[in-house]
Amino acid sequence: MSRVKLDLQIILQAATEIADTEGLDEVTLASLSKKLGIRSPSLYNHVDGLPGLRHKLAMHGMKRLNDVMTHAAVGRAQDDAVHAIAKAYITFAREHPGLYDALVRTPDWQHEETQKIAVQPVELLVRVLGAYGLEGDAAIHTVRGLHSLLHGFASLEQTGNFNIPIDPDCSLQLLIDFFLKGIRTYGESK
């Protein structure tokens, strides 16, 4: 085998490609070393076995999803920001189904790195939702609701549950509109 200059980013890129094309369960040390043209022991200089690889892949996915959501929100406010974030989230799940699966299924939620990364999209959404007068517990409840809506939509779409020939993007638009109407109604009732 030829010598490949290996670093964590190269490993994560190759693992992402395998996950996105073949599924997360196909990301193994053997499949990764084959794709990279190296022997499996070389991976141990960068990841702590398969659990370490899966953890790093999940963190990579969380960071990338947070980046696309943050980028989508820049220069936008209220409804426009929420719609842009929702579209970015769903687009990420569509373009990176295996990486999305990794960030949902494999992170160690007790790990300090996971907690530091996982709080970033929450903070982003709390800032965006602050424009609706939501703060404290109400903001967290609303963030959880939006995350549930987006994850549910992405999961149902990935498993082929949207097989009626109606544009799913239109469905997403309506769902977010309903969600935003609920936020406004909640704010008025306080």
Side-chain angles (χ1 to χ4, degrees):
M1 295 188 166
S2 64
R3 295 233 326 127
V4 174
K5 183 170 168 76
L6 203 58
D7 65 23
L8 185 57
Q9 286 308 313
I10 290 170
I11 292 169
L12 292 175
Q13 180 59 40
T16 297
E17 290 171 12
I18 294 168
D20 287 345
T21 58
E22 301 173 37
L24 179 61
D25 293 331
E26 297 304 314
V27 177
T28 65
L29 297 179
S31 67
L32 187 55
S33 58
K34 181 179 179 184
K35 181 170 185 63
L36 291 169
I38 61 169
R39 290 190 283 167
S40 292
S42 300
L43 294 170
Y44 285 91
N45 293 324
H46 304 279
V47 295
D48 187 17
L50 185 58
L53 173 61
R54 295 270 173 96
H55 173 75
K56 292 291 185 189
L57 189 60
M59 296 304 92
H60 177 65
M62 288 175 132
K63 289 175 189 172
R64 287 188 57 188
L65 177 57
N66 186 55
D67 287 348
V68 299
M69 290 170 54
T70 300
H71 180 74
V74 171
R76 294 182 165 94
Q78 291 192 306
D79 292 10
D80 188 34
V82 175
H83 276 286
I85 289 169
K87 184 175 180 181
Y89 185 105
I90 297 303
T91 300
F92 178 87
R94 288 173 179 163
E95 292 175 354
H96 298 288
L99 189 57
Y100 182 76
D101 194 18
L103 74 89
V104 171
R105 278 203 296 161
T106 61
D108 174 0
W109 294 105
Q110 302 308 312
H111 196 283
E112 184 179 334
E113 180 186 21
T114 306
Q115 293 175 9
K116 286 174 76 173
I117 295 169
V119 75
Q120 293 171 358
V122 174
E123 290 171 345
L124 168 69
L125 291 172
V126 166
R127 281 193 308 275
V128 168
L129 295 170
Y132 296 94
L134 297 169
E135 50 191 40
D137 289 353
I140 297 301
H141 293 312
T142 306
V143 167
R144 286 177 177 168
L146 181 58
H147 183 228
S148 297
L149 186 151
L150 294 174
H151 173 65
F153 191 95
S155 297
L156 289 168
E157 188 172 55
Q158 283 187 347
T159 56
N161 282 281
F162 294 160
N163 56 11
I164 297 171
I166 296 175
D167 183 10
D169 289 332
C170 183
S171 298
L172 178 63
Q173 174 84 25
L174 289 170
L175 278 172
I176 299 302
D177 286 343
F178 296 152
F179 182 80
L180 292 170
K181 185 173 182 174
I183 289 173
R184 284 189 214 89
T185 301
Y186 175 73
E188 291 168 4
S189 70
K190 288 177 28 174

